Amino acid sequence: MERQARRGGPIAIGGSSAKTVEDGTDDVTEREPAPQLRRRLGRADLRAVPEARRALRELLGQWGKQGQSDVAELLTSELVTNAIVHTDHDAVLTATVGPRGLRVEVRDFVARRPRLRVPVADDGTNGRGLFLVQSLADAWGVQPHGVGKAVWFELEAGAA
């Protein structure tokens, strides 16, 4: 698995990219579940893009600064669009808000890894999605699964 840090190249890490958030309580029953959005995205259904943005906006509510929520919506729509346009399968969007920030993951069922391309000025608007994710997210990466992969990004709670 590769993890991308903001303004940096790949950083090799082992195991799962999911982070465990410690809140200082020892009693699991005292922890509140993190607010989460989970949506199935239909195959080739581009209506899922604005629906995902709206659902994420509702989830985020007052989280972070306004610009940060806008960035989260933009990056989410890029990942959702990539999954819908570049696969011929359904996908699953999961967004989780925790004390340290936001994690958004779009899992599809195609093993082919996405390619990060540097945008070319005369190339229209295609090919910029992962470049935006790399530029604006605090961390991002691709995690292979038994069938398919998950492309994810994180935004820190204090960043903007």
Side-chain angles (χ1 to χ4, degrees):
M1 174 178 55
E2 288 182 359
R3 178 183 175 124
Q4 301 286 327
R6 179 181 262 181
R7 295 178 186 76
I11 302 170
I13 60 173
S16 171
S17 63
K19 294 181 180 179
T20 302
V21 177
E22 297 295 330
D23 65 3
T25 60
D26 292 326
D27 185 358
V28 174
T29 59
E30 291 182 28
R31 294 183 189 170
E32 292 194 26
Q36 188 176 73
L37 162 68
R38 188 168 174 89
R39 292 278 191 277
R40 179 164 289 279
L41 310 169
R43 176 175 54 182
D45 184 6
L46 288 174
R47 292 175 299 178
V49 178
E51 290 170 7
R53 287 179 74 118
R54 181 194 46 73
L56 183 68
R57 189 177 313 121
E58 289 175 12
L59 172 72
L60 296 179
Q62 299 301 314
W63 176 81
K65 297 178 182 174
Q66 179 61 39
Q68 191 178 25
S69 295
D70 292 343
V71 169
E73 284 184 50
L74 171 65
L75 299 184
T76 299
S77 65
E78 293 298 335
L79 294 187
V80 168
T81 300
N82 283 351
I84 292 170
V85 170
H86 297 294
T87 70
D88 192 27
H89 296 276
D90 292 352
V92 177
L93 164 67
T94 305
T96 306
V97 177
R100 294 186 181 169
L102 170 70
R103 179 182 172 94
V104 174
E105 176 179 295
V106 177
R107 181 173 180 186
D108 64 46
F109 303 95
V110 174
R112 184 179 63 252
R113 294 176 61 90
R115 274 189 5 229
L116 177 65
R117 299 186 320 185
V118 177
V120 178
D122 61 348
D123 195 21
T125 58
N126 294 329
R128 290 179 167 79
L130 287 180
F131 183 77
L132 286 171
V133 172
Q134 179 186 39
S135 299
L136 298 174
D138 292 309
W140 76 282
V142 179
Q143 180 177 0
H145 286 278
V147 176
K149 66 190 168 300
V151 182
W152 58 270
F153 73 84
E154 294 175 349
L155 294 175
E156 295 173 3

